[in-house]
Structure formats: C-alpha cells, structure tokens
Amino acid sequence: MNANILKMMKRNCWKFIQSGRMITAGLFCLLLTFVTSSYANNSILVMGDSLSAEYGLARGTGWVKLLEEQLQKQGSSWTVFNASISGETSSGGLTRLPKLLEQKKPSIVLLELGANDALRGLSIDQTENNLRKMIQLSKRSGAKVLLFGIQIPPNYGQVYTKRFKELFAKLAAQERIESLPFFMQGLAPQTDFFQGDNIHPNEKAQAILYKNVWNAMSPYQNLLRSNPTQ
C-alpha cells in the first residue's frame, strides 16, 4: 500500500472524530489499524540454533546475512530478524516464540530447531510436540512457516535416526506448511565445509546453506518482491 494513502486515511480518521461521527470514526480507525498493522509486518523471523547463529564465524558472514543481502539486492522492503541462539532446543524456542511474535509481528517464520534435542537424546515425541506448537503459534499470529529438515549421524541408532529424519516432513504435511527437506544438503560428507569440530558449517558453507533456504522460499517470492511503500 502507498504510504501517501496511509497518511490520507489517518487524516480522514481524525476528521471523523472531530465531526462527532463516532461510529463511523470507530469503524474507519479500526480498518486503519488493520491496514497499518499489515503494512508494518514485512519481516522474517529466524528461529534457529548455532547453525543459524553464526557460531564460530565472523559476524555478518552467516546464511541469514546472505538472505538479508539478497532481499536488499532485489529492492525488497522486507527485513530479517535473527533470533537464533547457539545451543537452543525446541523447548527453548517454544518458550521464547510468543514474545517474539508479539514484538516483531513477522509475516514469515523460518524454523530451524531440533538438532540440539537429538544431541541431548531428548524424546522425539517431545521435539515433535514443541515444534508443532511453534508452528501453530506462528500460523495463529498470521505468519507463514518454513520448517527446516534436520538429520543426525547414524551413531544415534537406526530407529532414532530414521524417526528424527521423518519428523520434519510429517509435521510439514500435517500442518500444511512449506518445508526445506534437508537444511545441510550439499555439505556432508565434505569435511572442508565444516569447522574443526566437524559439526558446524564454516564460512565457506554459508553460501550453500543460503541457497538451500532461498530455493525453499520460492513459494514466497511474489510476496517478498512486493514493496508497500511504492
């Protein structure tokens, strides 16, 4: 929506109030609040762990920053808020999400959590429940959700590894949201894409992670290209 139209609507709202036409003013201002809220919500919230929090990297070199730069290159008005924390679990993300949704009012939530649940041997049912609640909270707030698929090494046991891998596709299908089948596609088993711990992607790998995310965001491209200030 054009910014000048919003200014005009605000002036008309005030004129209705001054004229004493309170019912009309109330309805008009309610509409204005809704439109203004939508106008301000062109933001992407990233909820992730160390894979998205630039762990072991120089600041501003992670895949989230590359996503920001791509949006800027195409002249998009959208902004990205990275709420990722190293070591974050699905439980921690669920605890933080309601406040972030209220404060940031994102239109898109990128959900990259679950790896630390597996590393700590937490119940897959618990991880599923936490992620489902995060998806539903995001959808209820009006945001679209892109769920990142995570996989773990086979040394956790064949049954656990298989169930964990299938968890993300199942959630995406049941909740009818977009998904990125495997966030780290194209990295393993090439060790030159990882830091010394052989767990965290290095700076060289960030372009691949960004590309994986960007391709998975293809259903949102028309939305991301829109610029309501024009």
Side-chain angles (χ1 to χ4, degrees), residues 130-193:
N130 290 337
L131 291 176
R132 189 182 302 278
K133 286 181 179 178
M134 293 185 73
I135 293 168
Q136 292 175 347
L137 282 171
S138 300
K139 289 166 59 178
R140 201 172 299 140
S141 74
K144 300 179 183 298
V145 182
L146 174 62
L147 180 64
F148 290 25
I150 305 294
Q151 297 180 23
I152 56 176
N155 56 293
Y156 284 83
Q158 185 176 0
V159 174
Y160 187 94
T161 302
K162 184 175 183 292
R163 284 192 61 204
F164 187 82
K165 177 183 177 180
E166 294 173 347
L167 162 67
F168 300 91
K170 181 177 75 170
L171 273 173
Q174 291 178 345
E175 295 297 330
R176 299 182 179 181
I177 59 172
E178 302 296 335
S179 67
L180 167 54
F182 183 29
F183 176 39
M184 298 176 71
Q185 180 70 40
L187 300 188
Q190 302 183 57
T191 56
D192 56 336
F193 283 132

Side-chain angles (χ1 to χ4, degrees), residues 52-82:
S52 301
E54 295 186 330
Y55 176 88
L57 305 175
R59 297 303 88 177
T61 60
W63 72 264
V64 178
K65 183 62 178 178
L66 296 179
L67 173 60
E68 285 186 287
E69 291 175 353
Q70 175 60 33
L71 291 171
Q72 292 170 1
K73 285 179 185 177
Q74 64 184 38
S76 175
S77 64
W78 284 65
T79 58
V80 182
F81 183 80
N82 192 357

Side-chain angles (χ1 to χ4, degrees), residues 43-48 78-84 96-97 99-102 104-111 138 143-144 146:
S43 64
I44 299 170
L45 173 64
V46 182
M47 293 293 296
W78 284 65
T79 58
V80 182
F81 183 80
N82 192 357
S84 303
R96 294 191 299 123
L97 183 60
K99 186 174 182 179
L100 286 166
L101 290 174
E102 181 181 357
K104 304 303 177 182
K105 295 180 173 58
S107 291
I108 298 175
V109 173
L110 305 185
L111 184 51
S138 300
K144 300 179 183 298
L146 174 62

